[in-house]
Amino acid sequence: MTETIHFPSNFTWGVATSAFQIEGAAAADGKGPSIWDTFSHTPGKIIDHSNGDVACDHYHRYREDVALMAGLGVDAYRFSMAWSRVQPAGKGAWNEQGFDFYARLLDALQERGIAPHLTLYHWDLPKGLQDDGGWMARATAHRFADYAHEVARRFGDRLATIATHNEPWCTANLGYGNAQFAPGVADKKQAIQVSHHLLLSHGLAMQAMRATGTRAGLGIVLNQWTADPATDSEADKRLAALEWANSIAWFMDPIFKKRYPELSLQAHGSVAPDVHAGDFDIIAQPLDFLGVNYYRREVMSAEVPPRKPEGGNGFTDMGWEIYPQGLTELLVQLKADYPDLPPVYITENGMAAVDALEGGQVDDQVRIDYVRTHLEALKAAMDRGIDVRGYFLWSLMDNFEWNSGYAKRFGIVWVDYATLERVPKASALWYRDFIARQRRDRRAA
Ligand code: IFM
């Protein structure tokens, strides 16, 4: 029971969103187009034929949204900046009106005592850079460092943390590997090269931001899971080891060990990335924190057709297995593989559910159970010595779930897309009470 969980008194409780998923105002005040504007307007790409033109209209309703956060009593808000809002082409001129929006948002958060945790890149590359080759072009990594430098120079003293990338695995594998995400390329060699350029851009951005002297904590956010063999067979175990190497170690090893995992390099063979001398020295910048996004595990099966996860705890509306203990196992495994693991934030965790607004309420008990069991799993990892500093629930509100459009709801606040009205779900009230209880118990201790 959550009543018995006690997190440390300085633990950060937060909620998370990203720019393209909530802001709307796609062309307002000088914003340039991003690859997600282009992609979502391409017929056949988004399941419900929607786009991000309006989304939750957070650009105009941010004050209401910050008030919602204050009502929840969160300590912190994780959000991303739309690069093409502040630099319309991704190179050249800055857009002061775009920066002004984020300054207003920071003011509103500051008024409410909510700490801002910024992500620089949550998948919405400026179209101008895509026209120059996107993440396949090594030069894009340098443009990203210029952008990171400018943001840290302007806002570095107002931000609690700055993450370079959100889930580069997705940018590479869904954007360039299987075309599910923008820019819609399906080419394994490109996906692997892009992952290297993303890591390089992370390292260059870290250097550029450090050079500003910012006191914000600097890091990266990775989506991670455990890879379990479906059975005890050697074939399943081999697949599980390869999945861990390709998805987790592929991004962790360069940062913490200045190399790519050997297992993956062997498996990739001729599609291994082109790595320049000195790249790993750039990538392996010391991190102030690692952001971990955890939703599910992978179960690896060599059988045809593959065995499916048993799903004893059920599946989410995304079809993802609910597996809270995977969060404990993941964090323990990370610490074993990377003894110098920096402090961790759980930067995303939450679920898509089939919600319904009835009588002005949304009874999403299933989401409450998901969050509660994952918090228990998180605390179990902390009790085993993993240094975790905070938890950000994904997501503050229902929003544009990429190629699923508005058909999947991850929010703890319901959004009526016809009126843009926000209604806190039962999970929001539960999270509010949970945070309040943590504070009360802290005071009593
Ligand atoms: O909505 C996404 C988010 O943008 C990145 N992490 C996973 C979430 C749920 O799919």
Side-chain angles (χ1 to χ4, degrees), residues 22-45:
I22 65 165
E23 283 181 3
D29 300 333
K31 176 180 170 293
S34 82
I35 55 173
W36 270 96
D37 289 308
T38 319
F39 189 75
S40 62
H41 278 275
T42 307
K45 299 295 186 192

Side-chain angles (χ1 to χ4, degrees), residues 21 122-123 166-167 295 320 348 394 401-402 410:
Q21 293 178 273
H122 199 122
W123 308 349
N166 178 73
E167 304 184 351
Y295 288 92
W320 299 347
E348 287 182 27
W394 184 272
E401 178 54 25
W402 308 110
F410 273 89

Side-chain angles (χ1 to χ4, degrees), residues 81-96:
M81 185 175 278
W83 185 349
S84 68
R85 203 178 280 294
V86 300
Q87 192 180 31
K91 59 193 167 181
W94 304 106
N95 178 28
E96 293 306 323

Side-chain angles (χ1 to χ4, degrees), residues 46-376:
I46 311 297
I47 288 167
D48 63 359
H49 316 291
S50 62
N51 56 57
D53 289 2
V54 176
C56 305
D57 197 29
H58 170 76
Y59 187 77
H60 298 110
R61 293 164 195 258
Y62 68 94
R63 287 200 154 276
E64 184 187 339
D65 294 334
V66 172
L68 274 170
M69 290 178 228
L72 296 175
V74 293
D75 302 302
Y77 175 46
R78 172 175 180 250
F79 62 102
S80 77
M81 185 175 278
W83 185 349
S84 68
R85 203 178 280 294
V86 300
Q87 192 180 31
K91 59 193 167 181
W94 304 106
N95 178 28
E96 293 306 323
Q97 287 177 290
F99 279 122
D100 286 349
F101 166 67
Y102 293 106
R104 290 195 298 276
L105 174 60
L106 290 177
D107 290 345
L109 291 166
Q110 193 174 340
E111 279 165 27
R112 301 286 194 157
I114 299 172
H117 292 249
L118 178 75
T119 303
L120 289 170
Y121 188 80
H122 199 122
W123 308 349
D124 43 354
L125 189 76
K127 180 180 176 298
L129 290 182
Q130 190 62 39
D131 295 343
D132 292 346
W135 287 109
M136 269 304 284
R138 206 176 148 91
T140 299
H142 292 277
R143 298 295 74 74
F144 182 66
D146 297 343
Y147 158 57
H149 183 271
E150 186 65 13
V151 173
R153 189 183 71 75
R154 290 179 184 243
F155 293 131
D157 59 345
R158 303 194 65 186
L159 295 164
T161 68
I162 309 177
T164 53
H165 283 277
N166 178 73
E167 304 184 351
W169 181 96
C170 292
T171 307
N173 292 294
L174 306 183
Y176 286 82
N178 67 13
Q180 276 180 22
F181 282 8
V185 177
D187 178 336
K188 186 169 181 190
K189 186 168 174 56
Q190 287 197 44
I192 291 169
Q193 189 61 46
V194 161
S195 67
H196 181 66
H197 288 161
L198 292 168
L199 282 160
L200 180 67
S201 76
H202 156 76
L204 290 168
M206 291 289 290
Q207 290 176 329
M209 291 193 288
R210 293 272 188 232
T212 68
T214 178
R215 288 199 309 273
L218 305 181
I220 188 169
V221 171
L222 303 176
N223 50 325
Q224 299 190 323
W225 46 82
T226 50
D228 293 339
T231 69
D232 278 345
S233 77
E234 286 310 311
D236 287 0
K237 285 188 200 159
R238 264 199 308 278
L239 270 189
L242 187 60
E243 169 60 17
W244 176 268
N246 285 350
S247 298
I248 311 303
W250 186 262
F251 292 93
M252 292 289 284
D253 278 15
I255 295 172
F256 293 99
K257 299 181 178 173
K258 295 192 178 184
R259 63 170 197 225
Y260 282 115
E262 198 48 47
L263 202 57
S264 302
L265 288 176
Q266 278 170 18
H268 291 335
S270 64
V271 297
D274 176 24
V275 177
H276 292 197
D279 280 1
F280 288 123
D281 289 329
I282 295 169
I283 294 169
Q285 299 301 307
L287 301 184
D288 298 321
F289 73 94
L290 174 70
V292 173
N293 293 355
Y294 177 81
Y295 288 92
R296 62 191 173 90
R297 67 166 170 172
E298 280 290 348
V299 173
M300 305 306 296
S301 167
E303 290 174 29
V304 184
R307 281 179 188 242
K308 298 257 185 277
E310 284 165 14
N313 300 307
F315 294 85
T316 74
D317 196 30
M318 298 296 280
W320 299 347
E321 184 193 15
I322 299 175
Y323 195 70
Q325 59 269 51
L327 179 54
T328 315
E329 292 162 7
L330 168 68
L331 294 172
V332 169
Q333 190 63 52
L334 288 176
K335 184 71 184 170
D337 289 4
Y338 307 95
D340 294 332
L341 196 68
V344 168
Y345 284 97
I346 303 303
T347 31
E348 287 182 27
N349 176 241
M351 74 175 285
V354 187
D355 297 323
L357 182 66
E358 282 164 3
Q361 295 179 345
V362 180
D363 177 10
D364 57 342
Q365 183 61 42
V366 65
R367 184 175 285 109
I368 295 173
D369 293 342
Y370 181 101
V371 174
R372 182 177 49 76
T373 51
H374 283 77
L375 288 175
E376 287 166 357

